[in-house]
Amino acid sequence: MSIQDQTIGKIRQMPEALVQEVSDFIDFLLMKHSSNNWELWLQFSESVEIVESDFSDYLSNLEDYEERLARGEIQW
């Protein structure tokens, strides 16, 4: 029995939610081993990190601004 047959047998025993995770992981591996797609993925994930970090700073600054407005320290 080949490793593919063994793996397919294991997948058949899993609940659907776990099969979806396995499928997602397979997609990830296929993309990772396709160098062009992998480079695009790395660029995308770096961009997401930058956007999320900038957004979190924005939210904390916005909350600070709203609190200062509420205290009357600044006016609209």
Side-chain angles (χ1 to χ4, degrees), residues 60-76:
S60 66
N61 289 338
L62 181 61
E63 290 170 351
D64 181 51
Y65 182 77
E66 289 175 342
E67 289 172 5
R68 292 177 65 202
L69 270 173
R71 290 192 301 263
E73 294 176 8
I74 56 175
Q75 293 184 347
W76 183 256

Side-chain angles (χ1 to χ4, degrees), residues 39-67:
E39 290 298 321
L40 291 173
W41 171 253
L42 289 176
Q43 291 172 4
F44 171 76
S45 63
E46 289 172 1
S47 298
V48 167
E49 288 177 22
I50 291 169
V51 168
E52 287 176 348
S53 69
D54 289 345
F55 188 67
S56 66
D57 291 341
Y58 171 79
L59 285 178
S60 66
N61 289 338
L62 181 61
E63 290 170 351
D64 181 51
Y65 182 77
E66 289 175 342
E67 289 172 5

Side-chain angles (χ1 to χ4, degrees), residues 7-55:
T7 303
I8 291 168
K10 291 176 185 178
I11 292 171
R12 286 189 175 133
Q13 296 174 18
M14 301 173 86
E16 191 66 27
L18 292 180
V19 172
Q20 182 59 54
E21 286 187 48
V22 171
S23 178
D24 292 344
F25 185 65
I26 290 169
D27 290 342
F28 168 76
L29 289 175
L30 291 171
M31 184 184 346
K32 181 179 174 182
H33 291 282
S34 168
S35 62
N36 187 35
N37 287 342
W38 184 244
E39 290 298 321
L40 291 173
W41 171 253
L42 289 176
Q43 291 172 4
F44 171 76
S45 63
E46 289 172 1
S47 298
V48 167
E49 288 177 22
I50 291 169
V51 168
E52 287 176 348
S53 69
D54 289 345
F55 188 67

